[in-house]
Amino acid sequence: GKAPNIELRKRGRRKRTVAEEADYPWFERREFVGTKLRKEPYVIEKLPEIGSTPTMNWIQILAGPVAMLVLALALGGSMIMMVAMQLVGVVTAVISYYSQKKKYEQNSSNREERYREYLDEAEARLEKFAEDQRKAMWQANPMGEACMEIVRERKGILWSKDVQSKNFLEIPLGVGQSDLSCPIEVYRPGRFDNDVNPLSLQAVALADQYKQIDGIPITFSLMQNNSI
């Protein structure tokens, strides 16, 4: 017997003439697969602590040597050696103080430089999340010329939505702002925090900047709002 026409059986329709192919091309439906957006929170790490600035109590340090010097002058030269030892202790304390202060300033500078680099990386990642969300929303909800291009090019996305789709019968209303798909967690200094580093405030400003993003299609769901 004659072999069955596999292509016709697969497509489930009759073979069309050349004129029909030219005038009425078939639309090939393609299932809509949107970009997977991040949903888990994105955490902006807190600026690390390095301790408090080294301090020196000059009164406490100088009180002993001054008292010994006054006593030595009152009693004569017998206590000059003890005064000298006290002065050596003062010099040692001063040297130690300035050494610790210099080390603290160096550590603070290195910490701030690394944290600035970290904030730049965090901003780049948040911008990537925002751009992915814009792309996904525009792909799911084309408007204006984008819709005309889909029709002209007979793209498969023209018939990509069905009743099982989450965005079935969602009508684009315009372009506006929307919350970022992933919440942003950041340490926010309290009202009574002392010596708040400006970089901590910069981290808060970065989180607030990307809390909402613009350029997003705003839609209205006919199904969820019982409008059909």
Side-chain angles (χ1 to χ4, degrees), residues 121-202:
E121 296 174 359
E123 183 174 5
R125 295 198 64 183
L126 289 172
E127 181 60 34
K128 179 64 166 55
F129 298 155
E131 191 59 32
D132 288 345
Q133 187 170 339
R134 291 190 189 97
K135 181 179 179 181
M137 291 297 293
W138 277 102
Q139 184 180 7
N141 304 282
M143 291 184 286
E145 181 60 27
C147 294
M148 298 302 298
E149 181 182 354
I150 292 173
V151 174
R152 284 195 301 266
E153 300 294 330
R154 297 187 292 276
K155 295 182 179 180
I157 194 176
L158 182 64
W159 308 110
S160 62
K161 296 180 183 180
D162 56 26
V163 293
Q164 280 76 36
S165 301
K166 293 182 178 179
N167 56 351
F168 183 66
L169 289 182
E170 278 195 0
I171 308 301
L173 301 179
V175 181
Q177 290 186 330
S178 178
D179 291 339
L180 189 66
S181 62
C182 60
I184 304 174
E185 297 181 358
V186 64
Y187 169 75
R188 297 179 180 273
R191 292 177 54 189
F192 304 105
D193 286 356
N194 296 322
D195 300 327
V196 177
N197 192 294
L199 288 176
S200 297
L201 301 179
Q202 185 176 336

Side-chain angles (χ1 to χ4, degrees), residues 22-227:
D23 295 337
Y24 305 103
W26 290 110
F27 285 102
E28 295 294 339
R29 184 182 182 277
R30 186 184 69 190
E31 182 180 358
F32 176 76
V33 180
T35 304
K36 186 177 181 181
L37 302 178
R38 180 188 177 107
K39 298 296 184 182
E40 59 271 19
Y42 180 76
V43 180
I44 299 179
E45 300 292 341
K46 180 182 176 182
L47 179 68
E49 299 287 348
I50 59 171
S52 58
T53 307
T55 59
M56 174 176 286
N57 191 330
W58 291 100
I59 296 178
Q60 182 178 358
I61 292 176
L62 296 177
V66 170
M68 292 297 296
L69 180 60
V70 172
L71 188 60
L73 293 176
L75 299 179
S78 60
M79 300 188 65
I80 295 297
M81 183 62 67
M82 297 184 63
V83 173
M85 294 179 61
Q86 288 286 338
L87 291 177
V88 170
V90 171
V91 172
T92 302
V94 171
I95 294 175
S96 176
Y97 164 73
Y98 281 104
S99 175
Q100 293 178 13
K101 183 178 179 181
K102 183 178 180 180
K103 183 178 180 181
Y104 173 86
E105 291 174 348
Q106 184 64 41
N107 291 339
S108 179
S109 177
N110 293 338
R111 174 192 66 157
E112 292 183 357
E113 181 179 356
R114 291 195 302 269
Y115 195 70
R116 287 190 186 95
E117 295 175 354
Y118 168 75
L119 289 181
D120 289 341
E121 296 174 359
E123 183 174 5
R125 295 198 64 183
L126 289 172
E127 181 60 34
K128 179 64 166 55
F129 298 155
E131 191 59 32
D132 288 345
Q133 187 170 339
R134 291 190 189 97
K135 181 179 179 181
M137 291 297 293
W138 277 102
Q139 184 180 7
N141 304 282
M143 291 184 286
E145 181 60 27
C147 294
M148 298 302 298
E149 181 182 354
I150 292 173
V151 174
R152 284 195 301 266
E153 300 294 330
R154 297 187 292 276
K155 295 182 179 180
I157 194 176
L158 182 64
W159 308 110
S160 62
K161 296 180 183 180
D162 56 26
V163 293
Q164 280 76 36
S165 301
K166 293 182 178 179
N167 56 351
F168 183 66
L169 289 182
E170 278 195 0
I171 308 301
L173 301 179
V175 181
Q177 290 186 330
S178 178
D179 291 339
L180 189 66
S181 62
C182 60
I184 304 174
E185 297 181 358
V186 64
Y187 169 75
R188 297 179 180 273
R191 292 177 54 189
F192 304 105
D193 286 356
N194 296 322
D195 300 327
V196 177
N197 192 294
L199 288 176
S200 297
L201 301 179
Q202 185 176 336
V204 174
L206 179 61
D208 292 340
Q209 176 184 347
Y210 283 92
K211 183 179 180 180
Q212 284 194 326
I213 55 177
D214 55 10
I216 299 292
I218 305 301
T219 61
F220 179 81
S221 175
L222 298 179
M223 293 191 67
Q224 294 181 4
N225 291 277
N226 299 321
S227 299

